[in-house]
């Protein structure tokens, strides 16, 4: 039967082409999804791990001293250990100055985040290497001297003015910092002695500056033993590999794997939809070959042989088509990654196509299993037809009733699936950030989606004719339109099967478009809450006030839309519930509109009366909660009681202006906040503003040194990664649409073959070729209309449910409807239906009526 199967494939290659194309695209969809997942994983790791260079382990702590970091380097199996420094110092070169992040030269070059581009790294005391663009702004080059200035924060604890320390050093090298938003690379690398001098004058001997350190293991060291040795060396340490740390960092802004789970959910549903489309197409195709199979029965083939020949043919077709689909996926992913990498220089997108044996096996097995599974029922049904009956012409038989027995199962599946979807939404809403509960809700939601989809497919023969009759009224009362409407609803089973192919594809498109838009909007809102201020400019808390020129630099830059000035005072903050007692800088708006600058929607109406707005980090540091009562005590003893509101503001606590006036009437302006303009390149804005401030410093030497902070660049980096990942997911939509259109075109073509006698009869009665084409076109458009409407409604519902489940851990989910995309999908489905009727119409009008009436 193998030879018979191959002969049948060669003799009917044309008819198998559409089914093979569907399998190619379905397999390519699977492979593309898997390859994209591998790329996402690699990109996430590269992006988050960029700040740790080639380190093997990352050490986390509530605080470590430099001496304790050195102790980590003495643990057996450790080749080098260095602190991850976030120290800011003031650099002076002539009349120019800037704030910059400083760190020590790593004891091993593999631990250096910035790379040396010119000169040498510091080797002796009094040498530094500086990032090239920073050196250019300062007007310093290799061999020039610059001055490092820093303050002793310990003096603030005693209420005194900070002691200023300075050291003159020589620039011996230029560095290039990584472009990743998340690298947090030092801009100045100092020699070990200079860095230790900063550490020793940083306050009391027990002051702990570092929350992270990186470790490089020796070549023959055992990971488990080194971990144990590090954990035993200092209490309270967390020891992670760079991969583990990168995964934790990614989870912080993706909602503990929510974005990955969202992509996997879409991929799982897309795979199921692709399988259903292929099964529908192949089922109709095999049904058209019943006569050929029956001829084999006539010459002595047994039923088992007939079934085996069909399954062998399906297996060969599935494997060959899947192999082509794999190659297509590799080409698409390779081209797409190169395009994305060129368009997103700031995100280190991994452009390697990660084609593993597992992906190859999964793709080939998918093509094989889906094709053989799709042919199992048609092959079994073909063997049940009596040989002589099978030799009869195959004609579509009109049905008087649309299978009333299917109503109850269809409604049952639809209702059960909807209930499971609702249950998944409720379960995820109550799960908070518990990943196990979210994945349980995901499983329930996928099951509910498949059940409801099954209900829609089963009930399509009832829903589609009703929508077709509605669409027929819109087409008018012309003869082709009336005949097309009558033909489309005459056989509800066939019409429902034809519309289902497009319905499935459109539902997938609508679901993924809705899910992607909802996810992007919800994640952006979450980032707005976490990173409330884009850019901050400060001159320190030692009584200095930014000059009007410095403020004007912010206000005049085209990449900045709004600015606000804050005045600050030093107070004691005390919480009765937690026992918190700490010195804080409290600020209030002096000029500008806070509502126009802060992105947190909770502050859109300003700061409520008798309320203090604190960064969300205060919950982790001091255990403060929304609604807690705290008391602020001014230096003159004035006390004010306020309610706590946690927000995404950076660093400074905020109170209404009248409250700050009670605490300190002489508070000075020390800080400016700014919001990036829509569409601005955040990183370029920061660089240009910093360069303008440095130039201003040279022109006005009396101005204090301003330094830029804020989370806008980091926020933009998160959004850039989110957009990149969502682009990869949404890019898969084209595959599902083409699969659906292949199914529609193939089903319409076979339907026309079944109705050749009917078409010939109409021709004999005087219907022109043009009107026959118009009738078939109207029928295709009506079927496409019905399938598209059902698919859009179902897709939006699935997209909302899936997004709610996936993003529940992030907080409130903003449900969105992509109206433009849905309108394009509907228009595209109608045009596609019209295009799908072209070849079948040509086939219908090709033969003369007498020839066509002679039978197929």
């Amino acid at each position: 039967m193998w030879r018979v199967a191959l002969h049948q494939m060669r003799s009917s290659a044309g008819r198998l082409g559409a089914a093979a194309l569907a399998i190619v695209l379905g397999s390519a969809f699977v492979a593309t999804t898997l390859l994209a997942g591998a790329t996402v994983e690699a990109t996430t790791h590269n992006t988050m791990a960029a700040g740790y260079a080639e380190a093997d382990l990352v050490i986390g702590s509530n605080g470590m001293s430099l001496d304790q970091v050195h102790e980590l380097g003495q643990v057996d199996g450790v080749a080098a250990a260095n602190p991850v420094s976030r120290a800011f110092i003031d650099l002076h070169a002539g009349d120019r100055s800037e704030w910059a992040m400083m760190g020590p030269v790593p004891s091993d070059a593999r631990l250096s985040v910035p790379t040396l581009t010119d000169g040498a790294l510091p080797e002796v005391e009094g040498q530094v290497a500086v990032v090239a663009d920073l050196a250019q702004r300062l007007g310093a080059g290799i061999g020039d001297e610059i001055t490092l200035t820093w303050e002793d924060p310990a003096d603030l604890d005693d209420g005194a003015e900070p002691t200023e320390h300075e050291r003159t050093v020589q620039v011996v090298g230029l560095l290039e910092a990584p472009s990743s938003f998340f690298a947090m690379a030092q801009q100045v690398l100092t020699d070990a002695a200079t860095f230790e001098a900063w550490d020793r004058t940083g306050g009391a001997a027990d002051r702990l500056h570092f929350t992270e350190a990186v470790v490089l293991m020796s070549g023959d060291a055992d990971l488990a033993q080194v971990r144990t040795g590090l954990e035993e060396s200092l209490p309270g340490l967390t020891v992670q590999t760079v991969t583990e740390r990168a995964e934790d960092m990614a989870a912080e802004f993706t909602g503990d794997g929510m974005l990955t789970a969202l992509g996997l959910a879409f991929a799982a549903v897309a795979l199921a939809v692709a399988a259903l489309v292929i099964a529908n197409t192949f089922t109709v195709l095999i049904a058209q070959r019943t006569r050929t199979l029956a001829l084999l029965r006539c010459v002595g083939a047994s039923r088992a042989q007939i079934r085996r020949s069909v399954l062998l043919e399906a297996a060969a077709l599935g494997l060959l088509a899947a192999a082509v689909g794999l190659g297509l996926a590799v080409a698409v992913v390779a081209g797409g990654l190169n395009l994305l990498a060129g368009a997103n220089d700031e995100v280190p997108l991994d452009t390697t196509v990660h084609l593993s044996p597992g992906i190859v096996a999964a793709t080939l097995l998918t093509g094989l299993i889906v094709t053989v599974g799709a042919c199992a029922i048609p092959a079994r049904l073909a063997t049940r037809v009596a040989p002589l009956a099978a030799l009869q012409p195959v004609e579509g038989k009109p049905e008087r009733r649309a299978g009333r027995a299917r109503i109850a199962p269809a409604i049952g599946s639809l209702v059960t699936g909807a209930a499971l979807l609702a249950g998944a939404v409720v379960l995820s809403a109550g799960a908070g950030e518990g990943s196990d509960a979210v994945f349980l809700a995901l499983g329930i939601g996928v099951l509910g989606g498949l059940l409801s989809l099954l209900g829609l497919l089963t009930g399509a023969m009832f829903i589609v004719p009703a929508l077709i009759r509605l669409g027929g009224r819109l087409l008018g009362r012309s003869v082709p339109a009336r005949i097309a409407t009558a033909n489309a609803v005459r056989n509800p089973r066939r019409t429902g099967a034809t519309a289902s192919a497009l319905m499935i594809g459109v539902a997938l498109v609508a679901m993924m478009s809705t899910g992607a838009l909802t996810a992007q909007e919800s994640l952006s809102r979450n980032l707005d809450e976490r990173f409330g201020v884009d850019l901050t400019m400060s001159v320190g808390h030692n009584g200095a006030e930014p000059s009007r020129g410095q403020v004007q630099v912010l206000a005049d830059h085209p990449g900045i839309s709004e600015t606000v000035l804050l005045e600050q005072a030093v107070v004691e903050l005390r919480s009765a519930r937690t026992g918190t007692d700490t010195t804080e800088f409290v600020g209030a708006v002096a000029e500008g509109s806070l509502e126009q600058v802060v992105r947190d929607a909770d502050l859109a109406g300003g700061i409520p009366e008798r309320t203090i707005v604190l960064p969300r980090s205060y919950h982790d540091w001091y255990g403060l909660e929304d609604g807690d009562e705290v008391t602020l005590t001014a230096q003159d003893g004035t006390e004010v009681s306020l309610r706590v509101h946690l927000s995404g503001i950076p660093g400074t606590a905020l109170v209404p202006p009248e409250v700050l006036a009670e605490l300190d009437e002489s508070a000075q302006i020390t800080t400016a906040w700014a919001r990036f303009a829509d569409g601005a390149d955040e990183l370029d804005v920061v660089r240009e503003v910093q360069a303008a401030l440095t130039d201003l410093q040279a022109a006005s030497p009396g101005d204090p040194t301003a330094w830029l902070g804020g989370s806008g660049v980091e926020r933009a980096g998160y959004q850039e990664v989110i957009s990149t990942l969502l682009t990869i997911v949404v890019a898969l939509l084209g595959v599902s649409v083409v699969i659906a259109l292949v199914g529609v075109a193939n089903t319409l073509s076979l339907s026309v073959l079944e109705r050749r006698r009917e078409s010939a009869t109409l021709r004999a009665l005087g219907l022109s070729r043009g009107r026959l084409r118009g009738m078939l076109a109207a029928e295709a458009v009506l079927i496409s209309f019905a399938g598209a409407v059902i698919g859009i409604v179902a897709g939006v519902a699935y997209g909302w449910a899936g997004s709610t489940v996936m993003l529940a851990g992030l907080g409130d989910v903003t449900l969105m409807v992509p109206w433009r995309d849905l309108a394009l999908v509907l228009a595209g489905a109608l045009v596609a239906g019209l295009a799908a009727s072209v070849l079948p119409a040509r086939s219908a009008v090709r033969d003369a009526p007498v020839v066509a009436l002679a039978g197929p």
Side-chain angles (χ1 to χ4, degrees):
M1 297 307 294
W2 176 246
R3 295 176 59 186
V4 172
L6 291 179
H7 175 74
Q8 288 179 341
M9 290 182 66
R10 287 194 298 267
S11 61
S12 58
R15 291 196 297 172
L16 288 173
L21 180 58
I23 300 168
V24 167
L25 295 175
S27 302
F29 191 94
V30 174
T32 303
T33 302
L34 296 175
L35 290 171
T39 299
V40 167
E41 183 178 351
T43 298
T44 303
H45 178 272
N46 294 343
T47 301
M48 299 302 178
Y52 300 112
E54 300 180 34
D56 295 311
L57 296 172
V58 179
I59 312 300
S61 172
N62 291 329
M64 292 179 287
S65 67
L66 189 59
D67 290 337
Q68 288 174 327
V69 175
H70 291 333
E71 290 178 16
L72 297 178
Q74 306 304 313
V75 175
D76 291 339
V78 173
N82 284 96
V84 177
S85 174
R86 303 285 189 261
F88 277 91
I89 58 170
D90 192 359
L91 276 69
H92 296 267
D95 294 332
R96 296 172 178 265
S97 64
E98 277 195 27
W99 286 88
M101 188 184 296
M102 177 186 68
V105 174
S107 54
D108 191 298
R110 289 171 291 178
L111 293 179
S112 177
V113 176
T115 56
L116 183 69
T117 59
D118 194 11
L121 291 175
E123 295 180 354
V124 299
E125 187 173 356
Q127 295 181 343
V128 294
V130 183
V131 170
D133 58 352
L134 172 59
Q136 183 179 10
R137 292 196 299 270
L138 291 172
I142 294 179
D144 293 338
E145 290 187 344
I146 62 175
T147 301
L148 308 182
T149 304
W150 65 90
E151 297 173 347
D152 189 344
D155 296 331
L156 292 175
D157 297 339
D158 301 327
E161 291 292 332
T163 303
E164 189 174 89
H165 302 270
E166 68 176 41
R167 176 169 292 207
T168 300
V169 294
Q170 183 181 44
V171 177
V172 296
L174 297 180
L175 306 170
E176 181 181 4
S179 60
S180 169
F181 288 107
F182 305 97
M184 291 295 290
Q186 287 77 33
Q187 298 164 286
V188 179
L189 293 181
T190 70
D191 63 278
T194 300
F195 190 77
E196 289 185 4
W198 165 84
D199 183 67
R200 295 291 178 260
T201 57
D206 60 349
R207 184 172 295 275
L208 307 177
H209 291 114
F210 312 106
T211 58
E212 280 189 331
V214 288
V215 166
L216 187 69
M217 297 193 309
S218 56
D220 57 349
D222 180 73
L223 176 61
Q225 292 180 356
V226 172
R227 275 192 186 225
T228 302
L230 290 170
E231 291 170 349
E232 292 176 350
S233 64
L234 292 174
L237 295 181
T238 59
V239 182
Q240 295 178 294
T241 64
V242 172
T243 299
E244 292 169 346
R245 177 57 182 153
E247 290 174 353
D248 286 349
M249 293 174 64
E252 290 179 6
F253 79 95
T254 58
D256 198 16
M258 292 299 100
L259 190 62
T260 302
L262 182 64
L264 291 176
F266 282 161
V269 177
L271 178 59
V273 170
L276 289 172
V277 172
I278 295 171
N280 183 50
T281 303
F282 215 93
T283 297
V284 178
L285 181 61
I286 291 298
Q288 292 301 303
R289 298 181 59 193
T290 301
R291 181 180 299 171
T292 302
L293 299 175
L295 283 173
L296 292 174
R297 292 289 314 281
C298 289
V299 296
S302 65
R303 291 186 176 185
Q305 288 176 316
I306 291 292
R307 184 184 296 109
R308 191 159 55 249
S309 70
V310 174
L311 296 180
L312 284 173
E313 184 179 357
L317 181 66
L319 285 175
L320 291 175
V324 175
L326 178 62
L328 176 63
V330 171
V332 169
V333 170
L337 290 178
N338 286 325
L339 288 176
L340 288 173
N344 298 284
D345 294 334
E346 303 297 343
V347 178
L349 185 65
D350 192 302
T351 57
T352 303
V353 178
H354 297 271
L355 184 62
S356 64
I359 293 178
V360 173
T363 304
L364 296 180
L365 285 175
T366 297
L368 175 64
I369 293 173
V370 169
T371 311
V372 173
C375 293
I377 294 178
R380 183 166 56 87
L381 294 177
T383 60
R384 292 181 178 179
V385 179
L388 293 179
L391 292 175
Q392 305 266 337
V394 177
E395 293 286 349
K397 298 180 181 181
E399 298 180 357
R400 295 182 180 179
R401 302 173 65 87
R404 301 296 180 184
R406 292 194 176 195
I407 294 180
I411 294 177
S413 295
L414 191 58
V415 171
T416 303
L420 288 174
L421 282 173
V425 170
V426 173
L427 178 60
S428 64
E433 298 183 0
S435 58
D436 293 340
V438 170
F439 278 99
L440 176 60
L442 171 62
I444 295 174
V446 170
L447 178 60
L450 292 178
L451 279 177
S452 59
L453 180 62
L454 179 61
L456 287 175
L457 294 175
T458 307
M461 63 173 58
F462 308 107
I463 305 173
V464 170
L467 290 174
I468 287 177
R469 291 189 183 96
L470 176 61
R473 295 177 185 176
L474 301 177
L475 289 180
R477 305 296 296 171
S478 64
V479 172
R482 294 170 63 185
I483 295 177
T485 303
N487 282 338
V489 299
R490 183 180 62 178
N491 194 322
R493 187 188 301 271
R494 184 175 60 195
T495 302
T498 304
S500 293
L502 187 58
M503 180 209 38
I504 293 169
V506 170
L508 176 62
V509 173
M511 179 191 71
M512 296 184 73
S513 297
T514 302
L517 183 61
T518 298
Q520 195 161 21
E521 183 68 22
S522 299
L523 290 170
S524 294
R525 181 177 177 180
N526 180 260
L527 289 174
D528 287 346
E529 294 175 355
R530 291 179 55 197
F531 306 111
V533 178
D534 291 343
L535 187 63
T536 65
M537 182 184 72
S538 177
V539 293
H541 303 298
N542 56 355
E545 183 174 353
S547 68
R548 281 295 163 182
Q550 291 172 327
V551 173
Q552 204 63 36
V553 167
L554 285 182
D556 291 345
H557 195 283
I560 291 176
S561 61
E562 299 288 342
T563 58
V564 64
L565 299 182
L566 302 179
E567 53 187 8
Q568 292 181 324
V570 180
V571 300
E572 291 293 326
L573 183 148
R574 184 180 304 106
S575 170
R577 185 181 67 82
T578 64
T580 300
D581 192 352
T582 180
T583 301
E584 296 293 335
F585 290 94
V586 175
V589 175
E591 296 181 24
S593 172
L594 182 68
E595 297 82 3
Q596 299 298 321
V597 173
V598 177
R599 292 184 178 273
D600 193 339
D602 291 343
L603 298 179
I607 303 175
E609 294 183 1
R610 316 309 294 178
T611 298
I612 180 171
V613 181
L614 296 172
R616 286 193 173 86
S617 57
Y618 279 47
H619 169 73
D620 299 327
W621 294 351
Y622 307 121
L624 294 174
E625 303 279 358
D626 278 329
D628 281 357
E629 290 284 339
V630 297
T631 300
L632 304 184
T633 305
Q635 292 183 352
D636 62 1
T638 303
E639 292 188 352
V640 176
S641 295
L642 302 173
R643 291 187 306 274
V644 170
H645 173 75
L646 300 179
S647 179
I649 61 171
T652 301
L654 289 181
V655 296
E658 60 273 15
V659 173
L660 187 64
E662 292 181 44
L663 296 170
D664 188 352
E665 293 182 354
S666 60
Q668 286 186 312
I669 296 174
T670 60
T671 304
W673 287 357
R675 178 169 180 155
F676 291 136
D678 294 339
D681 187 308
E682 293 83 357
L683 195 57
D684 285 346
V685 171
V686 173
R687 289 169 176 167
E688 292 168 3
V689 169
Q690 184 64 75
L693 289 173
T694 303
D695 292 340
L696 181 65
Q697 180 76 30
S700 304
D703 288 350
T705 303
W707 65 277
L708 298 180
S711 54
V713 173
E714 185 177 5
R715 175 183 178 276
Y718 285 140
Q719 289 184 322
E720 190 71 31
V721 173
I722 291 169
S723 298
T724 301
L725 302 189
L726 288 177
T727 298
I728 293 174
V729 174
V730 176
L732 302 178
L733 291 176
V735 180
S736 64
V737 173
V738 175
I739 291 175
L741 296 182
V742 168
V744 172
N746 191 41
T747 303
L748 285 176
S749 298
L750 296 175
S751 179
V752 166
L753 291 176
E754 288 182 347
R755 290 164 47 189
R756 291 183 67 190
R757 287 189 175 184
E758 176 187 318
S759 300
T761 301
L762 292 173
R763 289 286 313 283
L765 293 176
L767 189 68
S768 66
R769 290 187 176 185
R771 289 202 165 191
L772 179 57
R773 288 192 182 95
M775 181 190 73
L776 291 173
E779 183 178 353
V781 168
L782 287 172
I783 295 174
S784 298
F785 170 77
V789 169
I790 300 173
I792 287 174
V793 174
V796 171
Y798 291 151
W800 281 353
S803 299
T804 303
V805 171
M806 293 296 96
L807 303 173
L810 296 179
D812 295 335
V813 177
T814 305
L815 298 180
M816 304 293 293
V817 178
W819 296 109
R820 184 195 63 181
D821 294 347
L822 297 181
L824 291 175
V825 167
L826 179 59
L830 298 181
V831 173
L834 186 63
S837 68
V838 173
L839 292 179
R842 289 183 58 187
S843 176
V845 303
R846 184 177 301 161
D847 295 329
V850 174
V851 175
L853 287 172

